[in-house]
Amino acid sequence: SGAGAELGGRGEALDRMQRMNAVFRSASSTRPLGTAACTGFCVMAVGDAVAQRSAGEKQFDPQRNFVSAAYNGLASPAFYRWYQLMDRLAPGVAIRTLVPKVLASQLVTTGLNNPCYLLWCNVAEAACGTADWAAVRSRRRLLADRDPTQMATRRRSSTSAPPPLAPLRCRLQRCRLQRLPASVTQPL
């Protein structure tokens, strides 16, 4: 009877999975972008939770989890449309069509997605007030020490002519720094 109950439990679980699959397929066909957004959000939330756990984080960071999941939920409909375009341009799954699709997707989505994701995370961190500005200032110092243009400028004598883009670079830096909190823009 124990084996029968175990099989019954597996049968019920399989039945539940089949029903969930049917609901997912129905939602995918009637609301593809909404389904892509929800799926992307959920997959990233679970994935980030597993990543935090496996990285040995002492405490679960719900803000990190939500920010990552929200980005993926917003980006997933765009990926859905991209993959539809790829399937329209190169239909099929033969190696000769699959390889160009994968290469094009890697070039386009990775090149666009990674900077967008990092920007999203930084903006969300700043908006939530959890940015560690002391760490940002410290990283800025390290980068200024390593930046060859900064080092060359420090070594240059006062009589040498500045590089042609120096005024523009200074204006851009002042513009960027004016948007940051005063604690970040303090002199080094």
Side-chain angles (χ1 to χ4, degrees), residues 97-173:
T97 59
L98 192 59
V99 170
K101 283 197 291 193
V102 168
L103 289 174
S105 291
Q106 285 302 305
L107 288 172
V108 172
T109 60
T110 302
L112 294 174
N113 187 47
N114 289 351
C116 290
Y117 176 73
L118 293 173
L119 177 66
W120 171 268
C121 290
N122 285 320
V123 167
E125 190 174 284
C128 294
T130 57
D132 182 1
W133 293 112
V136 171
R137 237 187 11 238
S138 139
R139 277 183 267 159
R140 193 181 90 200
R141 282 188 195 118
L142 289 173
L143 289 174
D145 288 342
R146 287 189 212 156
D147 184 5
T149 60
Q150 294 282 348
M151 288 188 281
T153 304
R154 281 191 215 129
R155 281 181 270 169
R156 191 178 296 126
S157 70
S158 59
T159 59
S160 66
L165 295 178
L168 176 61
R169 185 173 52 235
C170 289
R171 272 186 259 141
L172 287 172
Q173 286 174 341

Side-chain angles (χ1 to χ4, degrees), residues 28 32-33 36 75-85:
S28 290
L33 297 180
S76 289
F79 289 131
Y80 177 84
R81 290 292 190 209
W82 170 258
Y83 295 126
Q84 274 188 325
L85 175 67

